[in-house]
Structure formats: C-alpha cells, structure tokens
Amino acid sequence: MRVRRRTTLAIAGAVAIVAIVAVTATGFALGYFGGSARPTTAGGTPHFVEETAGSGLSHTYGGGDAYVAGGGVAVFDCNGDGRPDIYLAGGSNPAALYRNDSPLGGDLKFTQLHDTTTDLTGVEGAYPIDIEGDGNVDLVVLRLGETELLRGLGGCRFEKANAAWSFDGGNDYATAFSATWEGSNALPTLAIGHYLKLDATGTPTRACADSELVRPKADGTAFDRPIALTPGYCTLSMLFSDWDLSGRRDLRLANDRNYYVNGEEQLWRVAPGESPRLYTNADGWVSLQIWGMGIAGYDVNGDGYPDYYVTSQADNRLQTLAAGPNQPSYRDIALERGVAATRPGSGGQDLPSTSWHPEFEDVNNDGLIDLFVSKGNINEQLDFATKDPSDLFLGQPDGTFKEQAEAAGIVEYDRGRGAALADFNMDGLLDLIEVHYGAPVRVWRNVGSGDAAAPGQMGNWLEVRPTQAGPNRDAIGAWIEVKVGDATTRRELTIGGGHASGQLGWTHFGLGPAGTAQVRVKWPDGQAGPWLQVAANQFVDIVRGATEARPWSPPSA
C-alpha cells in the first residue's frame, strides 16, 4: 500500500498475493474435493438494500496517515442469542460495540453499547476468539499502541485481560492477527502482525516492524514472551491454515512492499514444539513482491487444496499449488478466473484499483462460492482510482467469476476498508457491512430475488456451528464438510485473514435446490465425525461425539 502520492506507477509490479483460508474470519476455505461435481446452474444476482440510516449504526473510522491502513470490523455473538453482533474500529475516534437487535427476516437493527473497556481509541481492527473456551467470546483489539485482549464476560460485557493472561501488548502499530491451537494446549497460539516501527513519540516511521508469535506457557495458564518473526516486511494480513492438508497450520503473511526493499510475501512453518521457520526458495517458495493487504482462501480449481486470494494495488493474485502439496510453490490464476480486479468495475475511471478486504461466501445460495472485495483509495492518491467501488464476483459453474456489484446494489464511492458478510437477520441470506476510511460505515440487507418489502429466497442453505469440550471450544482448525448429491464442499475454520476484520460463529453453506444435505466435521486433531443427515434452511449445532445435528431456532425479535 502506498501512503505518499506517487507520480508514476509500475503497474507490472503492483500485483497481489494470496493466502490461506479466511472468514472470515472471515476465515474459511471452501472447495469441491475428490472429483465431486460442481453445481451446473448459477443463481441470479441477489439484491442488497442499504439500511444504514434506519439501522442504528452511526460510526466513522478516521484519523491521519497512521490510520489509513486499518479500519476493521469484528462480527460475533457477544450475548449468546445466536445473532452476530458488531465491534467497529474507530481509528482516532472511539471504537464502538453494537448489539444486533434485528428481527427475524426483517430490517437490520443495532443498538450501541457504550463502555470504557470497548470504547477504545487508536483501534485499527479487531478479531473475535474464545481464548479460554468458556463460551464467552473474547476480542483481540489491534491498536496504534498497546494491543488489548478483552475477556468476554457474557451479556456483551468485557474486561481488560492483558495482565491476567500475562500478554505483552507492546506499544506498536498492530494491523493483522491470526490464531491457532497447537496440540493439546489449553490456550491458543497468537500471531500479531505489525506494520511500521514507531519512534519515541509513538509516531510511525518508514521502517517495517517485526511481527510476533505468542505461544502459551508450558503450564497453560498464561502466555509466554513474544517470539519475533524476523524479518518483518510491513504486514497487513496474516492467517494460520493447513495449506498442504498435513494437519499442521502454517502462517501466511501479506506484506506491503511500499516500505521494504528486499522483502516479499511470507509463509512461516509453525510446528508444535519447534521454533517458527520461514519457508524459502530452497523449500519451493517462490518470491513475490506486492502491496499485500488482505487474505482469503477457497479451492477454486477443485484440486482439494486451498487457493489463496490476496489483495493489493492494481491487480490481485489468486494462487494455486503448482505441483501438489510437497512444496509451497504457487502460480497465479486470477486473470483466467476473472478476479484480477485491476480497475474499478464502475465509476468511469481507468486507473488502478486499491483492494483491501477479500471474503469468499455464497451470497445467492446457489452452491457456488462468490467473492467480495472491498476497495478504496488510500488517501486521494491521484495515480490510483478515487472512484473505486467494492466488487462482488458471483461464482459460475465453470469456476470463473462474474462481477455484479452494480446489479446487486452495493456500488458507492467511499473509501472501503474492512468488511463482513454475515446473516444479521437470520433469514439464510448473507448481509453486508463495510467500514470506510473517513466516511460512515454502511450496512446492506440481502433481500435475495425480491425487494425490501418482499424478500425472495434464491436457493436453499445451511448454517453450521461445531463445538467441542475443553480448550478450543469453537474447533478452530476443523473442517466442515457438506455433501449434496455427488458434490462435497469443505470449509476450514480459521481465525485471521481478511483486512483487520474477523468473524466467529455460524458457517454458511449455499445448497442450491437441494432440500437435504449430509454434514460432518473433521475435528482439529484429524478425527472425523459421522455423516449426519440434515434438512435445508436451518441452523444446526454439531457437538463433538453427537450422533445427530441439533437444530437451533433463531430469535423472532
């Protein structure tokens, strides 16, 4: 990412990279495996209705140059009612926690919950995670200054927990996060991505800072001292994921080449009991230099392994394994799949785009994965598009994507940053929230094939929530598999990726016309649960060891 205005642009160098699985947080990787058949018919374009004005959301992320690279949103259930709530970064403004009060299938409604614990300033982004496995979701809050761990107390209440967990939040410029559980550890391993070094006054310099790996202490009661991930190349996104299906979750970093000279995108091998090790050319890693911003993953080509989409300025990259899982060598397939996204999809400006948050989800429930990419100029850079609306790419049966943001009704020209696709009104259609730099957050309700007065379902769907006893209650690192006929889709549950934005909660699957599906969970330790028959259009809990999925009913108001 470029913060200073440049008068020339070497477009060939402005490419993007890819990384591991996300939901979203975004943190999910989804794909068709083992020769499974893809759906043969694509659904139509869903209609999104902006409901910001009446939603109760009134929030702006802003600040000077130190905040242009942030702007995230965390989506999670903070009060146990099953509905996804929202925590918004504010930059130099206070961050904001909003409870989701949307009625089932109705207009999107949120209520701000003020508290000095969550109304922090200097917040770049945030990620939800249940650190202790107590069923109350915690928050990792990335800041210009001390990174804060906020322990969830239930009822959307939080307390600061850095001291209680012996976590060193430092005094840094934190812009990225990911987490995994190694072996049987009671606490997760945390990765904190840092952007620029700060001087003695807390002002960002032009030198890249090292990121950090934070493992739990041997007794499992608290966190150990951070391990520097050196060299650091100005990280803007990071994600733990099992890229080679080995059962080991390695850490991929998207780095901003605006500041480094000899840097590149990075993949760290993180094995239990070993020091983290950077993959090099000797391991098959191919050096790639881009303005890496956000990470998402999905098995686009159906070979059984996650492909990685990483956003950048100018063209983005979609990388796939070039020669199988024996080495992390990747080739780019973004252009052939239709997601290079080098220019704005509308607005009339023939200048390079600036892309931030990528997220793979099925927004029209046709069983084909779609891709949302938030976009927005850094800060009035005249050699990049200033009218740069976000993209919505709809998946096609042949594995390509078709840009449909304007037809879907989400085109606007504020400077996009973090975002999330989530089912806020629990109707089986994924809604959209997007943070902007220097402009109010916006939220859109997905009304499917209908309109605001009469929404129309476009296809069948399923939302799944796996849980297990003990540490890692939300089964981070597990794979959810859903089988419809001869087609099987898989999602890896991860924490991290995206752009300063993460999600925790329901995992959404589009089923197309299918009225039933089979679902199973491959748990983080590799053990596979049984295939469970489920009906479409419902929320289901899958508890480890159970022999049937448990239907869950959303609140009616």
Side-chain angles (χ1 to χ4, degrees):
M1 180 209 65
R2 298 181 175 188
V3 172
R4 298 190 305 170
R5 181 182 300 172
R6 304 292 178 91
T7 57
T8 59
L9 169 68
I11 293 178
V15 252
I17 171 176
V18 172
I20 268 165
V21 177
V23 212
T24 120
T26 296
F28 301 114
L30 167 62
Y32 293 84
F33 287 74
S36 299
R38 288 182 181 273
T40 57
T41 303
T45 301
H47 301 152
F48 286 80
V49 177
E50 188 184 345
E51 296 191 340
T52 309
S55 70
L57 290 177
S58 179
H59 183 78
T60 297
Y61 174 87
D65 284 350
Y67 297 106
V68 299
V73 53
V75 175
F76 62 107
D77 179 9
C78 66
N79 60 359
D81 69 355
R83 289 180 289 198
D85 306 300
I86 295 169
Y87 184 67
L88 293 162
S92 61
N93 300 321
L97 178 66
Y98 283 86
R99 185 185 64 227
N100 183 1
D101 294 325
S102 305
L104 177 62
D107 296 347
L108 304 185
K109 300 291 183 181
F110 301 90
T111 301
Q112 187 169 3
L113 305 176
H114 288 285
D115 191 288
T116 55
T117 303
T118 50
D119 294 353
L120 299 168
T121 57
V123 176
E124 304 271 359
Y127 288 80
I129 178 175
D130 187 350
I131 291 175
E132 293 181 309
D134 62 358
N136 293 321
V137 181
D138 313 304
L139 281 173
V140 177
V141 182
L142 307 175
R143 300 176 64 233
L144 182 66
E146 183 181 17
T147 294
E148 295 277 5
L149 303 186
L150 302 184
R151 174 190 273 139
L153 303 175
C156 294
R157 295 174 298 113
F158 296 85
E159 66 180 8
K160 294 186 177 182
N162 284 15
W165 285 325
S166 298
F167 173 77
D168 182 1
N171 184 31
D172 300 294
Y173 190 168
T175 48
F177 176 75
S178 191
T180 188
W181 270 258
E182 296 186 82
S184 60
N185 288 345
L187 295 178
T189 292
L190 311 178
I192 312 293
H194 294 143
Y195 194 43
L196 297 170
K197 293 180 180 179
L198 303 182
D199 64 19
T201 68
T203 302
T205 68
R206 292 189 59 80
C208 290
D210 289 339
S211 294
E212 295 177 341
L213 190 75
V214 183
R215 281 172 158 154
K217 292 181 178 179
D219 62 7
T221 61
F223 291 104
D224 213 336
R225 295 178 61 85
I227 301 169
L229 298 178
T230 304
Y233 295 137
C234 294
T235 299
L236 283 175
S237 188
M238 59 199 331
L239 188 62
F240 279 110
S241 183
D242 188 0
W243 64 272
D244 58 354
L245 304 186
S246 65
R248 183 192 64 256
R249 287 105 197 170
D250 291 332
L251 180 67
R252 189 150 189 175
L253 277 63
N255 299 318
D256 181 6
R257 69 171 296 176
N258 184 61
Y259 295 103
Y260 64 69
V261 176
N262 298 313
E264 59 180 323
E265 299 298 297
Q266 293 173 307
L267 178 65
W268 290 84
R269 178 185 169 91
V270 181
E274 300 178 9
S275 297
R277 179 178 68 83
L278 191 63
Y279 285 94
T280 67
N281 290 347
D283 302 304
W285 180 254
V286 179
S287 180
L288 177 65
Q289 294 182 321
I290 60 168
W291 288 272
M293 303 224 191
I295 298 171
Y298 170 72
D299 180 21
V300 173
N301 65 0
D303 66 356
Y305 299 92
D307 305 312
Y308 306 113
Y309 191 84
V310 179
T311 56
S312 180
Q313 291 188 289
D315 55 335
N316 303 285
R317 292 292 179 91
L318 177 59
Q319 290 189 319
T320 188
L321 281 171
N326 292 327
Q327 57 183 12
S329 299
Y330 289 87
R331 64 182 181 87
D332 182 42
I333 58 172
L335 186 62
E336 66 187 68
R337 299 290 173 161
V339 291
T342 61
R343 294 292 192 273
S346 58
Q349 286 191 329
D350 189 21
L351 289 170
S353 280
T354 302
S355 300
W356 297 90
H357 179 87
E359 188 167 343
F360 284 108
E361 283 288 2
D362 187 351
V363 297
N364 56 3
N365 290 336
D366 62 357
L368 297 165
I369 203 69
D370 310 309
L371 173 63
F372 171 82
V373 181
S374 73
K375 288 184 172 182
N377 196 284
I378 299 297
N379 194 4
E380 299 181 358
Q381 289 185 357
L382 299 183
D383 44 359
F384 290 87
T386 54
K387 296 180 67 175
D388 196 8
S390 299
D391 285 319
L392 181 63
F393 296 99
L394 299 186
Q396 304 299 305
D398 62 358
T400 63
F401 294 83
K402 183 179 180 181
E403 214 287 326
Q404 290 287 282
E406 189 166 2
I410 64 169
V411 167
E412 45 85 16
Y413 298 105
D414 292 331
R415 288 169 289 186
R417 293 298 190 263
L421 288 163
D423 188 359
F424 290 118
N425 62 355
M426 312 299 282
D427 63 353
L429 291 166
L430 294 174
D431 310 302
L432 172 65
I433 185 170
E434 184 172 2
V435 179
H436 302 94
Y437 175 60
V441 63
R442 294 180 189 244
V443 64
W444 292 264
R445 176 161 64 110
N446 186 345
V447 296
S449 59
D451 54 28
Q457 195 61 249
M458 302 192 70
N460 294 326
W461 53 273
L462 184 68
E463 301 207 29
V464 181
R465 183 171 59 183
T467 56
Q468 60 181 5
N472 191 12
R473 183 179 185 277
D474 296 302
I476 303 306
W479 293 82
I480 303 175
E481 298 182 324
V482 173
K483 184 187 300 183
V484 175
D486 294 330
T488 301
T489 62
R490 306 177 73 216
R491 289 178 180 248
E492 183 186 20
L493 300 185
T494 67
I495 291 176
H499 177 74
S501 303
Q503 296 186 51
L504 185 65
W506 298 103
T507 304
H508 179 92
F509 294 86
L511 302 180
T516 62
Q518 290 183 291
V519 59
R520 75 172 178 179
V521 178
K522 288 189 175 179
W523 300 96
D525 61 4
Q527 182 179 355
W531 285 104
L532 308 175
Q533 186 80 11
V534 295
N537 302 329
Q538 64 173 332
F539 298 82
V540 297
D541 284 306
I542 298 180
V543 179
R544 186 164 187 171
T547 57
E548 61 182 9
R550 184 176 65 198
W552 178 89
S553 296
S556 58

